[in-house]
Amino acid sequence: MCGICGIVGCNVEDNLIKAMLESIAHRGPDDEGIFHNKNIFLGHRRLSVLDTSQLGHQPMEYKDYVIVFNGEIFNYIELRKQLIEKKHNFITGTDTEVILHGYVEWGKKVFSYMRGMWALAILDKKNNKIIFSRDRFGIKPFYYHYEDNVFRFASEIPSLFKAGVKRSPNYDVIFRYLIAGIDDNGKDTFFQDIHQLPGGCNIEYDLVTGNIEHYRYYDLMAELQMKDVRNYEDVFDETISIHLRSDVLIGSCLSGGLDSSSLAGIIQRKINSNGQKLIAVTAKSELLENDESEIAKQVAVYSGMDWKMVCPTYDDFVCKHLDMLRQQAEPVGSPSVFMQYCVMEKASKCGIKVMFDGQGGDETLLGYERYYVSYLFSLIRKGKLLETIKSYREICQNSKLSLVSLAKYILYFGYKPIRKLILNKRFYFVKNNYKKQFFSQSKDYLCQSMDMMGLHYEEITKKQLPHLLRYEDRNSMRFSIEARCPYVDHVYVQNAIALPFETKVHEGWTKFCLRKLAEKVIPKEIAWRKSKFGFEAPEKKWLEMYLPVMQKVVNQSSILQDITTKIPDLSKLSLRLRWRLYNLAIWEKQYVHHINLS
């Protein structure tokens, strides 16, 4: 796990690449390397996880090829064996060398063979091109700026600023965040002309012409049509086994929720034979109403884990949340991202270099309450009215939703005009022309898909998972920790989505197949809990106490002054809306060179 950066297409001083690397030093504190050849600069910061010796130094060269790579390829052992059979010789035990030899042997097809997470650049001197690639679902970040045939890239946006890229706000993205809470926009970012390479995509830079070609090498929906469905428990077990490959100490986030508890429980069962105890880290909330630490403790004691707890206080929030926001470089959805930040900080103090987490569990198995809307509509479309009524009652019995709250979910997520009306009223303080601009350009964000397969696809590739993976990456790498998310492994994802819907939503229970598995490794009453929180921050307490500071910061925001008729009184807004306004204002202070809209 590392940080990469580079500039292709113009000559620059070595100290510029040094500055880019210094800005991402936290991503790789173990080593640094630079490749420079004419107008090609490639930089790398290394966090040593596999073959921690100096043999793993990057940029790594082999024949006419050079690579800088951030990530982990979990099936590198299997690929290495295949390449040895094809007469390839290896001098390291790294997955990086496997990718390089794999590219020499298979060309661009190597990305289809790789199982893991990555963002990388391969200089192909033989064919006068550079290939930039990002893993299938975008677990690892890749940002770029392309202008006048010059391509600048980095693992994090601030590194691009060191390369002289302008930091102007992207107002279309700002409106989506403020009005709809969307903080990942596919190719677009909160900065104009700074883009991210979407998951499952490559870019090829032609070293002769300076032109770039952008293409997709992985299509989730196409893959689903070609795969047979396997037993859920077998696939999950094999996925975790392959993710456990590491030459350093591992740990796991443990919120007390179903996803993280199941994951940690299975990992502990697997490493028991070696006499190991999994270090499980939990964040305790100051508010009892959303604190799951006691549940996490039960899981840890039941499974025999080495349990660690951190309890972020209001003072911690005041002292550290600005560092967390600076590390994210783009606004985030809620203060709960800070809880994850504290978990990673605690893990770092425990000497952990690899942390497992449960991101992707809800998106692949339809775990959020709002997914019930699509499920019920799918029954109606099939003409199963009696089953719809029965399912409605079962959902209210086996989830935290009441009859009334479920009806509200259906109206809000199922009917675009109602959602638009509510949002229009809620954002009374935003100038009408900007609200109209948002509604005309963001139609796809106003209503979730009523097609279950389409909903899966949207949540995993566009609306939900991408921003969670961004939080995970920045928070973990802030403390030089590699985060692993087995629920986002493409083999697991494809199989989970292809499962019959009744194995995911059954008798009102979400994630039914995972619950059946979980009851074998964690306490049964926890496997069948109705409520879910995750690492939720005590927002009510923190944001009420911090309100005067938040109001002052919001009042000073030039961006918010531009887009509102009047800066609102935060005390009259919901907690989440207060946070969005405040986060935008802080982001502006930390990063933006302001441009007046008028």
Side-chain angles (χ1 to χ4, degrees):
M1 194 57 58
C2 312
I4 61 174
C5 63
I7 300 176
V8 184
C10 70
N11 287 310
V12 295
E13 299 296 327
D14 284 346
N15 61 355
L16 190 148
I17 289 290
K18 280 281 189 181
M20 293 180 74
L21 284 169
E22 182 60 31
S23 72
I24 54 173
H26 50 276
R27 299 187 70 90
D30 298 331
D31 192 16
E32 177 181 287
I34 295 175
F35 173 87
H36 178 199
N37 182 10
K38 297 180 180 179
N39 63 347
I40 301 171
F41 284 81
L42 304 175
H44 187 268
R45 295 288 312 207
R46 185 185 183 202
L47 178 67
S48 305
V49 173
L50 296 175
D51 188 348
T52 59
S53 73
Q54 272 299 107
L55 292 174
H57 176 80
Q58 294 188 48
M60 185 177 288
E61 301 184 45
Y62 174 64
K63 293 185 177 181
D64 293 324
Y65 308 91
V66 185
I67 186 173
V68 286
F69 160 60
N70 166 32
E72 294 290 350
I73 308 305
F74 299 115
N75 66 332
Y76 76 101
I77 294 175
E78 291 79 6
L79 293 178
R80 194 171 189 266
K81 289 178 180 177
Q82 292 180 44
L83 290 164
I84 289 173
E85 291 175 358
K86 294 179 179 293
K87 309 306 181 185
H88 286 260
N89 296 313
F90 293 86
I91 60 174
T92 79
T94 66
D95 50 351
T96 308
E97 189 180 16
V98 171
I99 300 171
L100 203 49
H101 282 252
Y103 179 78
V104 173
E105 181 66 36
W106 299 307
K108 292 181 288 187
K109 287 184 179 179
V110 68
F111 303 118
S112 299
Y113 302 150
M114 288 157 50
R115 184 174 180 180
M117 51 186 179
W118 68 85
L120 59 80
I122 297 177
L123 168 60
D124 183 343
K125 289 184 265 187
K126 184 178 180 180
N127 295 297
N128 288 310
K129 64 182 179 181
I130 299 181
I131 291 185
F132 305 96
S133 181
R134 193 176 184 200
D135 65 72
R136 294 170 180 83
F137 301 117
I139 303 173
K140 292 293 102 186
F142 188 99
Y143 294 97
Y144 68 94
H145 176 270
Y146 178 69
E147 186 176 52
D148 298 328
N149 293 341
V150 178
F151 192 89
R152 301 170 174 86
F153 70 94
S155 294
E156 296 180 7
I157 290 174
S159 186
L160 293 175
F161 299 148
K162 298 293 184 180
V165 176
K166 294 180 181 178
R167 47 178 82 185
S168 303
N170 184 335
Y171 278 92
D172 288 339
V173 171
I174 287 172
F175 295 145
R176 287 181 201 144
Y177 170 72
L178 180 59
I179 297 175
I182 299 158
D183 55 14
D184 187 279
N185 291 264
K187 184 181 176 183
D188 296 330
T189 72
F190 280 79
F191 300 92
Q192 285 184 17
D193 302 320
I194 294 179
H195 305 289
Q196 62 175 334
L197 180 60
C201 290
N202 289 347
I203 290 176
E204 289 192 25
Y205 180 101
D206 189 313
L207 292 170
V208 177
T209 66
N211 294 328
I212 65 172
E213 178 189 0
H214 187 293
Y215 61 92
R216 177 167 290 281
Y217 69 85
Y218 176 77
D219 187 314
L220 175 59
M221 299 305 285
E223 289 294 323
L224 288 175
Q225 296 173 10
M226 300 167 60
K227 303 295 181 184
D228 294 326
V229 181
R230 293 163 54 195
N231 177 271
Y232 174 77
E233 294 190 14
D234 291 343
V235 173
F236 195 29
D237 185 80
E238 187 259 349
T239 298
I240 294 176
S241 293
I242 203 170
H243 275 68
L244 281 172
R245 292 171 173 172
S246 171
D247 293 331
V248 297
L249 183 65
I250 67 169
S252 187
C253 301
L254 181 61
S255 69
L258 179 63
D259 299 330
S260 67
S261 297
S262 304
L263 180 60
I266 293 173
I267 292 174
Q268 182 59 67
R269 186 175 62 177
K270 285 182 173 294
I271 65 177
N272 265 338
S273 58
N274 299 325
Q276 293 178 262
K277 279 194 171 187
L278 178 70
I279 301 176
V281 185
T282 299
K284 177 180 175 63
S285 172
E286 288 187 298
L287 287 180
L288 290 177
E289 60 197 57
N290 65 354
D291 175 41
E292 290 188 314
S293 60
E294 282 302 313
I295 297 168
K297 183 179 179 181
Q298 290 180 46
V299 172
V301 171
Y302 181 90
S303 300
M305 303 170 194
D306 182 2
W307 187 58
K308 310 290 184 183
M309 186 181 72
V310 59
C311 183
T313 64
Y314 172 72
D315 289 339
D316 292 327
F317 172 75
V318 172
C319 292
K320 299 177 181 179
H321 82 280
L322 293 180
D323 178 71
M324 179 271 291
L325 293 177
R326 180 176 293 279
Q327 180 63 28
Q328 291 289 328
E330 296 183 277
V332 302
S334 77
S336 292
V337 180
F338 180 70
M339 302 292 276
Q340 186 186 59
Y341 171 97
C342 294
V343 166
M344 295 301 176
E345 182 181 38
K346 179 69 172 179
S348 177
K349 291 177 180 177
C350 294
I352 298 171
K353 265 194 170 184
V354 171
M355 282 287 280
F356 284 80
D357 206 352
Q359 305 295 358
D362 285 310
E363 291 75 18
T364 53
L365 293 178
L366 300 175
Y368 295 116
E369 282 86 1
R370 64 178 182 273
Y371 296 164
Y372 285 130
V373 178
S374 297
Y375 174 66
L376 292 172
F377 272 93
S378 70
L379 293 176
I380 292 173
R381 281 200 306 274
K382 293 175 183 177
K384 299 180 178 181
L385 297 181
L386 291 178
E387 188 172 340
T388 302
I389 296 171
K390 179 174 177 287
S391 295
Y392 193 103
R393 293 178 60 188
E394 289 175 340
I395 288 169
C396 296
Q397 290 171 357
N398 295 323
S399 76
K400 62 183 180 182
L401 295 178
S402 66
L403 293 169
V404 174
S405 59
L406 179 54
K408 290 180 178 179
Y409 265 84
I410 292 171
L411 290 173
Y412 186 74
F413 289 106
Y415 295 96
K416 190 180 297 184
I418 291 177
R419 192 170 187 184
K420 181 178 178 180
L421 182 68
I422 292 172
L423 290 174
N424 205 23
K425 184 176 180 180
R426 183 178 296 164
F427 291 91
Y428 64 90
F429 52 85
V430 175
K431 292 177 180 176
N432 284 331
N433 55 318
Y434 297 137
K435 282 193 285 188
K436 289 179 181 178
Q437 181 177 331
F438 163 76
F439 289 127
S440 65
Q441 296 182 355
S442 306
K443 294 177 182 178
D444 291 342
Y445 294 100
L446 289 177
C447 195
Q448 73 179 40
S449 174
M450 292 299 104
D451 168 62
M452 296 294 281
M453 194 62 74
L455 177 62
H456 263 313
Y457 182 80
E458 286 183 0
E459 292 288 289
I460 291 170
T461 63
K462 297 179 182 179
K463 291 186 176 180
Q464 182 65 17
L465 188 58
H467 77 143
L468 296 177
L469 293 174
R470 190 244 296 181
Y471 303 162
E472 181 89 55
D473 175 83
R474 302 312 182 278
N475 277 333
S476 61
M477 294 309 294
R478 166 64 179 83
F479 299 102
S480 305
I481 290 173
E482 173 185 303
R484 295 186 179 181
C485 307
Y487 291 106
V488 193
D489 173 82
H490 81 280
V491 175
Y492 171 87
V493 169
Q494 289 169 184
N495 198 76
I497 293 178
L499 289 170
F501 289 120
E502 57 268 21
T503 66
K504 288 175 270 193
V505 180
H506 183 68
E507 295 181 348
W509 293 102
T510 59
K511 297 188 284 192
F512 187 78
C513 54
L514 180 59
R515 293 179 191 273
K516 294 291 288 184
L517 170 60
E519 66 180 10
K520 300 176 183 179
V521 294
I522 63 175
K524 190 171 181 178
E525 62 272 19
I526 294 175
W528 295 95
R529 284 178 61 220
K530 298 179 182 180
S531 60
K532 61 187 269 73
F533 295 110
F535 290 136
E536 287 196 13
E539 296 179 21
K540 189 174 182 181
K541 178 179 181 180
W542 288 359
L543 298 191
E544 286 291 345
M545 294 175 69
Y546 204 56
L547 184 60
V549 177
M550 294 172 68
Q551 186 72 63
K552 182 178 179 180
V553 173
V554 167
N555 289 345
Q556 295 171 345
S557 168
S558 298
I559 289 177
L560 293 177
Q561 288 173 12
D562 277 355
I563 67 177
T564 62
T565 54
K566 182 181 178 181
I567 298 292
D569 179 351
L570 297 187
S571 67
K572 297 181 180 179
L573 303 179
S574 67
L575 294 174
R576 288 295 171 90
L577 189 46
R578 293 181 201 179
W579 174 259
R580 285 185 216 163
L581 289 163
Y582 170 70
N583 199 169
L584 274 173
I586 287 294
W587 171 75
E588 179 185 351
K589 288 184 68 173
Q590 291 180 331
Y591 284 111
V592 175
H593 289 170
H594 180 63
I595 297 176
N596 193 295
L597 274 175
S598 58

